[in-house]
Amino acid sequence: MATCYLHISCTLLLILLLICLPTMTSTEEDACADNNCVLFGDDALAVPNKAAWKYTDNENNAEDKTNVGLDKNTAQNQDTIVIAHGNIGYSSSVSPSSDNDVIRDRTVKGNDQTSGKVAKVSNAYEFPPLTRIDPGTVGQRVDVELEDGRFFTRITRAVGPPIFEIPKFLSDEECDHIIESAKNNGLNVSNLFGAEIQDELNSDIPLAEISRVSEQTWLQRSHLGEDFLNRLHKRLARLTELDIGTIRRSEHVQVVSYVPGGHYHAHLDSIDRYDRPCCFQERCDDKALTPQWADCCRLCRYITVLYYLNDAEEGGETAFPLADASDATLAEKFENLEEQEWYNLSYYCYNSSLVVKPVRGTAIMWYNHLKDEQTGYLGKADQRSQHGGCDLIKGSKWIANNWISSPSSEDRFKPSHFYTES
Ligand code: OGA
Ligand code: FE2
């Protein structure tokens, strides 16, 4: 029972390996050689923004491509393409997303509101090469201006991967706003690649043996509000030193809440599978929340920014069991997958090399992937970024995840489902 979840993971991994081995390139083999294809992925992705897809999924449709002007040559230098409303080819048979993003994506311009309307399609974009903040040494504090005239302290907690803590990144009001928006939206039991967690929760399996015990929801632009999200995005762009366009094309905000006994054992927030496209750019709708979803695409979450929305009374720390581990330690930890004394955070939270206590308003930011030095784009997932939430002992724990997605170099012109115009 103790290794129940690990057995499932290993079986999945084996099946994936068997399917993929014949087509693997040497890069992929290398990735697996140092255990980078261990599958401890996160739960399913936010529901993509259907409206954005409607306007941008034109790769295989020459007619649509002409209509919306989204070709790779013009995409390079234009953030906004103005097109005639009548050319969009918007079909009434496609029901608009429940989020009003469909309206925002078609900003109507011009004086004549009854005919010849013009809409903006702004997903034409080239993802720029990745930046990576130099962490310096552990304990280093740097004051960074994340809003005009407002400085925040960025503290280095680890260098491999770089893990930063930013106290007071969110104000109390902002934390409350996120919690309230999540409550209004309703939370569901967190899922993990279609694993039947609800069944596990209803069974006799001890909570500690279940990989993830929490509730979650996704918050879109319409839930959080224009002004709130725009301000947050700007702050994130300055924090990550990434282009605001990349931030805006990332997944929605995920809110997670834990009650005592809740936790999330060690996992990677992203996946290393070069034989499939990035989920934020590929439509796997029909497979959402099923195990097939994991075969359809890979998460390409270059960075995680995790916000603590309240002070957990006791427990509920975020642990990084392999942060700053030496190559030898890393190899040793992966030697016997069934005896991973670091994976189960209900038992081994405090053995972790880094343990962060939840403090309201604090953000922690880390890199889930290395940067590919040859292309400057998304490289391998970094096993040292394994992390999770330790058992909450007392009180409640609310966090939010802001995953910053970025493609591999070859997909740098491919639009994101998640783009909404500010
Ligand atoms: C997550 C996660 C850690 C925590 O939600 O992906 O890693 O402290 N959470 O809750
Ligand atoms: Fe995570």
Side-chain angles (χ1 to χ4, degrees):
M1 199 60 84
T3 51
C4 169
Y5 176 69
L6 289 179
H7 282 309
I8 297 169
S9 293
C10 295
T11 315
L12 242 173
L13 172 64
L14 263 174
I15 295 168
L16 286 170
L17 276 178
L18 284 174
I19 296 169
C20 302
L21 265 178
T23 54
M24 273 187 172
T25 65
S26 61
T27 331
E28 285 151 6
E29 277 159 8
D30 291 346
C32 290
D34 51 52
N35 291 307
N36 275 342
C37 36
V38 171
L39 188 71
F40 286 147
D42 193 72
D43 60 314
L45 198 73
V47 178
N49 177 352
K50 290 203 171 63
W53 181 258
K54 179 69 197 164
Y55 293 98
T56 55
D57 177 23
N58 301 300
E59 302 281 327
N60 304 316
N61 185 332
E63 212 178 296
D64 276 356
K65 191 187 281 186
T66 317
N67 283 344
V68 295
L70 267 180
D71 68 67
K72 292 186 177 180
N73 298 326
T74 55
Q76 285 186 54
N77 301 317
Q78 283 175 266
D79 196 43
T80 300
I81 296 174
V82 179
I83 58 163
H85 189 260
N87 285 347
I88 292 175
Y90 182 71
S91 152
S92 58
S93 67
V94 179
S95 59
S97 146
S98 58
D99 191 294
N100 285 334
D101 291 340
V102 64
I103 307 299
R104 266 188 297 284
D105 260 19
R106 297 188 300 143
T107 310
V108 174
K109 274 188 158 183
N111 297 327
D112 184 353
Q113 296 292 309
T114 53
S115 64
K117 289 174 184 160
V118 173
K120 279 190 341 188
V121 172
S122 308
N123 212 356
Y125 177 78
E126 177 181 6
F127 282 84
L130 294 171
T131 57
R132 201 169 173 91
I133 297 171
D134 178 358
T137 51
V138 172
Q140 174 179 294
R141 301 168 84 93
V142 178
D143 287 335
V144 284
E145 190 175 5
L146 301 185
E147 289 200 347
D148 291 344
R150 262 189 86 199
F151 286 80
F152 297 66
T153 307
R154 190 189 73 206
I155 310 164
T156 298
R157 291 292 176 215
V159 299
I163 302 176
F164 303 102
E165 182 179 335
I166 307 95
K168 299 194 179 93
F169 183 81
L170 296 180
S171 68
D172 285 354
E173 293 71 33
E174 287 171 325
C175 291
D176 286 341
H177 176 67
I178 298 176
I179 294 177
E180 286 315 309
S181 308
K183 284 182 179 167
N184 286 339
N185 200 35
L187 293 100
N188 296 309
V189 170
S190 300
N191 206 325
L192 206 103
F193 278 150
E196 285 161 355
I197 291 213
Q198 185 65 65
D199 291 351
E200 290 186 3
L201 288 172
N202 293 338
S203 74
D204 295 336
I205 302 173
L207 278 194
E209 303 301 340
I210 301 176
S211 54
R212 189 176 196 190
V213 182
S214 64
E215 290 194 321
Q216 65 169 64
T217 192
W218 295 97
L219 297 181
Q220 308 187 16
R221 187 170 277 277
S222 60
H223 302 121
L224 288 169
E226 288 289 326
D227 294 347
F228 181 90
L229 203 63
N230 290 343
R231 199 167 157 195
L232 182 63
H233 280 175
K234 279 186 198 151
R235 213 179 293 162
L236 279 171
R238 290 203 188 175
L239 172 68
T240 57
E241 298 181 6
L242 286 169
D243 178 79
I244 187 92
T246 303
I247 306 292
R248 289 201 189 123
R249 283 164 179 80
S250 295
E251 290 173 60
H252 303 309
V253 172
Q254 184 192 58
V255 179
V256 184
S257 89
Y258 301 86
V259 294
H263 57 255
Y264 191 179
H265 292 334
H267 61 277
L268 295 177
D269 277 353
S270 202
I271 313 175
D272 227 15
R273 297 297 316 209
Y274 303 112
D275 54 349
R276 56 193 70 159
C278 291
C279 298
F280 79 103
Q281 297 174 302
E282 187 71 20
R283 212 175 179 186
C284 301
D285 272 7
D286 52 330
K287 304 183 186 74
L289 291 171
T290 71
Q292 287 74 44
W293 177 83
D295 298 333
C296 173
C297 59
R298 64 186 162 116
L299 296 165
C300 293
R301 295 166 171 169
Y302 180 50
I303 292 177
T304 300
V305 184
L306 183 153
Y307 314 119
Y308 296 113
L309 305 175
N310 74 337
D311 298 310
E313 218 174 306
E314 199 183 331
E317 299 89 345
T318 305
F320 294 82
L322 308 178
D324 283 334
S326 67
D327 288 347
T329 307
L330 199 63
E332 183 199 313
K333 300 270 187 188
F334 279 97
E335 219 159 66
N336 188 346
L337 281 178
E338 302 216 353
E339 284 174 21
Q340 291 180 56
E341 296 216 329
W342 49 273
Y343 157 76
N344 187 319
L345 296 178
S346 295
Y347 302 142
Y348 302 111
C349 172
Y350 301 106
N351 290 8
S352 304
S353 37
L354 175 66
V355 179
V356 184
K357 191 177 153 50
V359 173
R360 179 162 153 105
T362 293
I364 33 178
M365 164 190 161
W366 68 89
Y367 294 91
N368 297 304
H369 285 257
L370 303 169
K371 183 168 127 182
D372 181 329
E373 287 309 330
Q374 253 149 36
T375 63
Y377 285 84
L378 198 72
K380 286 180 183 180
D382 186 347
Q383 283 296 342
R384 289 181 175 85
S385 73
Q386 289 270 0
H387 66 279
C390 304
D391 273 17
L392 179 68
I393 311 292
K394 210 171 169 191
S396 62
K397 175 185 169 190
W398 286 86
I399 61 147
N401 287 305
N402 229 156
W403 284 299
I404 311 301
S405 320
S406 203
S408 304
S409 156
E410 64 274 15
D411 285 334
R412 65 192 185 278
F413 293 106
K414 202 171 160 184
S416 158
H417 304 306
F418 292 96
Y419 181 74
T420 54
E421 198 170 314
S422 60

